[in-house]
Amino acid sequence: LLRKMKYVILAVFVILLPMFVVDILGQGLPYFCKLICPAGTLEGGMPLVLMNQSMRSALGGLYAWKNLLLVLTIVVSILIYRPFCKYICPLGAIYSVFNPISVFRYKVDQEKCTGCGVCAKVCKMQVNPVKNANSLECIRCGLCKKSCPVHAIGEVKLKDEGVRHQAEKV
Ligand code: SF4
Ligand code: SF4
């Protein structure tokens, strides 16, 4: 269920809030960057505060909140594989929906597959490629492909697709 959270964050903080909570000029704030994303704190906020003395007097609750999120993200990342990508990142959510139609897709050769389950066991994103080789959660790390003892996992070749389309037309 936690994995669905990134789609909710995408809808609420990246689309709906900036669209509907706007100032008198009709401009919405980048709510995700402002309230959630720890990358901005690490790469922008912290260097600015360290290098600019006058900025320090302007620090408030939001800066403390963003720092807390940054520390939490780092700590949880030590314990869980890619938690920010899995549960929070709206970019991850956008990219994931393209997995099933991506040019770079996987397929499992059912004739070669012995059902040993190694691929599902090694996948750090908890995907079972045999059930869904192009799951929304797959990050194409290639670990399953490398680990398959019978080399049953491979990329869908564009020419295979052409043949399939031709076959479907017939
Ligand atoms: S590791 Fe290969 S043979 Fe084993 S279940 Fe996965 S695809 Fe099939
Ligand atoms: S490519 Fe990586 S993330 Fe995708 S199913 Fe294989 S092991 Fe899992």
Side-chain angles (χ1 to χ4, degrees), residues 106 123-125 127 129 137-145:
Y106 279 172
C123 177
K124 292 179 182 176
M125 298 301 284
V127 171
E137 301 299 329
C138 174
I139 54 166
R140 296 290 189 268
C141 67
L143 205 54
C144 54
K145 188 176 170 233

Side-chain angles (χ1 to χ4, degrees), residues 108 112-120 130 144 147-153:
V108 175
K112 282 188 189 170
C113 176
T114 60
C116 67
V118 167
C119 51
V130 178
C144 54
S147 309
C148 176
V150 293
H151 309 291
I153 302 174

Side-chain angles (χ1 to χ4, degrees), residues 3 5 8 12-13 23 30 36 42 44 50 89 107 109 126 135 142 144 146-147 149 154 161 165:
R3 286 163 186 255
M5 197 162 74
V8 175
V12 175
F13 289 90
D23 60 20
I36 300 175
L42 185 66
L50 286 175
C89 184
K107 65 173 182 194
D109 186 335
Q126 287 79 45
S135 156
C144 54
K146 223 189 297 175
S147 309
E161 280 293 278
H165 288 314

Side-chain angles (χ1 to χ4, degrees), residues 148-170:
C148 176
V150 293
H151 309 291
I153 302 174
E155 292 100 34
V156 176
K157 302 276 185 323
L158 284 179
K159 69 175 166 48
D160 297 345
E161 280 293 278
V163 170
R164 189 170 66 82
H165 288 314
Q166 288 298 334
E168 277 171 5
K169 271 188 206 162
V170 172

Side-chain angles (χ1 to χ4, degrees), residues 53-121:
Q53 203 167 8
S54 59
M55 291 285 293
R56 285 176 218 153
S57 56
L59 296 182
L62 184 58
Y63 187 74
W65 163 248
K66 295 294 298 286
N67 273 282
L68 177 69
L69 281 183
L70 175 61
V71 172
L72 273 177
T73 304
I74 293 169
V75 171
V76 178
S77 298
I78 293 166
L79 306 171
I80 300 173
Y81 183 69
R82 299 176 76 128
F84 192 77
C85 310
K86 269 185 194 166
Y87 309 129
I88 302 201
C89 184
L91 266 182
I94 291 177
Y95 294 151
S96 74
V97 297
F98 290 99
N99 266 0
I101 56 163
S102 161
V103 173
F104 184 55
R105 272 174 296 145
Y106 279 172
K107 65 173 182 194
V108 175
D109 186 335
Q110 298 297 343
E111 284 180 11
K112 282 188 189 170
C113 176
T114 60
C116 67
V118 167
C119 51
K121 212 185 241 175

